[in-house]
Structure formats: structure tokens, C-alpha cells
Amino acid sequence: MKAVGQEVQVDTQDGAPHRLIWAGQAYPVQAVSDEWRFGGRWWLGEPGRTCYLVQAAGLTAELHREDGEGGRWWLARLQD
């Protein structure tokens, strides 16, 4: 997988990713293959996050959502 590290917009349904909007294009999420928790690098003040591996309109993407109110979504990696 290739590291991307870009903030993206993600629409959710029942708390899970439903649609990814990246580079001006919408990618509907067909499947969530995996979900896990990452505690963050606490020594750097980084918040924890929930991570998802999704299949979205031809993309295999790893998405991260920061914990807390208004947590941002990140496109962490794409399968190359």
C-alpha cells in the first residue's frame, strides 16, 4: 500500500464509512474489510483514532477517523 496522508471528507452511515470524497471525486464504499483502533502516539499529543480498510469504487483504501468531537478523516493509504 502507498502512503497518502491527506485529509478527506467521509460520509458515514451507522458510524461506518459510507462514501469517500477525495480529489473532487466521490467513491461509494461497497465494503468495510477491517476495522481497528490505534491509540495514537500519546507522547506527541496525537489523538487516538478508529481505522478502516474499505473497498470504494475500485479503490482499496485505509481511512482513519480521529477521536473526539469533529474528528477529522484521513486517507492514510491506498493499495497500489
Side-chain angles (χ1 to χ4, degrees), residues 8-22 25-29 32 52 54 63 65 73:
V8 293
Q9 180 182 339
V10 175
D11 297 329
T12 61
Q13 186 172 38
D14 298 324
H18 180 67
R19 184 174 66 157
L20 160 67
I21 301 171
W22 176 55
Q25 186 167 348
Y27 298 89
V29 173
V32 176
Y52 300 89
V54 301
L63 301 172
R65 183 181 185 280
W73 284 90

Side-chain angles (χ1 to χ4, degrees), residues 15-61:
H18 180 67
R19 184 174 66 157
L20 160 67
I21 301 171
W22 176 55
Q25 186 167 348
Y27 298 89
V29 173
Q30 287 96 14
V32 176
S33 303
D34 199 4
E35 177 181 344
W36 66 96
R37 292 276 311 136
F38 175 71
R41 297 177 295 181
W42 55 268
W43 60 95
L44 297 175
E46 189 176 87
R49 63 188 89 161
T50 303
C51 307
Y52 300 89
L53 183 63
V54 301
Q55 302 295 320
L59 297 177
T60 299

